[in-house]
Amino acid sequence: MEFTAEILCLGNELLMGRTINKNATEIALELTKIGFYVVRETTVRDDLNQAAVTLNEIIQRRPNVILITGGLGPTHDDIQLEVISKTLIVDLVLNNEAVNMMAQKYNIARNNLSKHMQKMATLPKDSTPRSEERRVGKECRSRWSPYH
């Protein structure tokens, strides 16, 4: 059985030529190394509706894995989680575990998180936040699937 993967990249900077999309290359290489067949990589602008339509198209093709890169930061154009929420009809909620991770990382009280930190701690309901050595709140693992 062949396991397929698709990569969805979000970012105006990728389509304007300001940034080379190294993420897609590195992700495709790692997926290939562990036995996945990467069938497509798609890049779209930081546009919620366009990205949601594109994610829905990917879901309709039913790859085994969908990886989404870009758009997880604290600014207005970081829309990855909103795209997931809109496409899969999953609520975004302030995740207590993510709040704790942010507060610990930046050595501040939970109730003193800035609005940007709160945005980064807002995840799809029932998601588990994951931290990286250099960043907190930049990745989450979901327990839900678009294939009901």
Side-chain angles (χ1 to χ4, degrees), residues 29-99:
L29 178 63
E30 293 303 315
L31 286 169
T32 301
K33 283 181 183 177
I34 61 172
F36 281 90
Y37 176 66
V38 180
V39 294
R40 187 171 296 172
E41 178 270 314
T42 306
T43 303
V44 297
R45 298 185 64 77
D46 294 318
D47 177 281
L48 179 59
N49 292 325
Q50 182 184 38
V53 166
T54 303
L55 179 56
N56 192 51
E57 290 169 354
I58 293 169
I59 290 167
Q60 298 306 310
R61 290 191 289 271
R62 300 185 63 83
N64 297 103
V65 171
I66 301 169
L67 284 110
I68 306 172
T69 76
L72 272 178
T75 62
H76 73 282
D77 63 342
D78 292 313
I79 60 168
Q80 184 182 129
L81 297 176
E82 289 91 345
V83 170
I84 291 169
S85 175
K86 180 175 180 150
T87 305
L88 301 181
I89 312 169
V90 175
D91 290 333
L92 294 177
V93 297
L94 190 63
N95 183 288
N96 284 327
E97 189 177 346
V99 168

Side-chain angles (χ1 to χ4, degrees), residues 46 70-82 102 106 113-123 135-139:
D46 294 318
L72 272 178
T75 62
H76 73 282
D77 63 342
D78 292 313
I79 60 168
Q80 184 182 129
L81 297 176
E82 289 91 345
M102 295 283 258
Y106 296 105
L113 262 62
S114 69
K115 78 173 186 177
H116 294 300
M117 290 176 177
Q118 288 178 22
K119 180 180 180 189
M120 292 176 64
T122 300
L123 305 174
R135 294 180 272 183
V136 173
K138 300 299 275 184
E139 178 180 331

Side-chain angles (χ1 to χ4, degrees), residues 93-144:
V93 297
L94 190 63
N95 183 288
N96 284 327
E97 189 177 346
V99 168
N100 289 337
M101 291 166 68
M102 295 283 258
Q104 183 178 13
K105 171 74 175 175
Y106 296 105
N107 197 27
I108 58 175
R110 286 175 44 95
N111 59 348
N112 286 338
L113 262 62
S114 69
K115 78 173 186 177
H116 294 300
M117 290 176 177
Q118 288 178 22
K119 180 180 180 189
M120 292 176 64
T122 300
L123 305 174
K125 186 177 179 185
D126 297 326
S127 292
T128 302
R130 300 181 64 198
S131 66
E132 299 176 30
E133 203 168 75
R134 295 182 312 262
R135 294 180 272 183
V136 173
K138 300 299 275 184
E139 178 180 331
C140 69
R141 178 181 300 163
S142 300
R143 294 186 189 137
W144 36 260

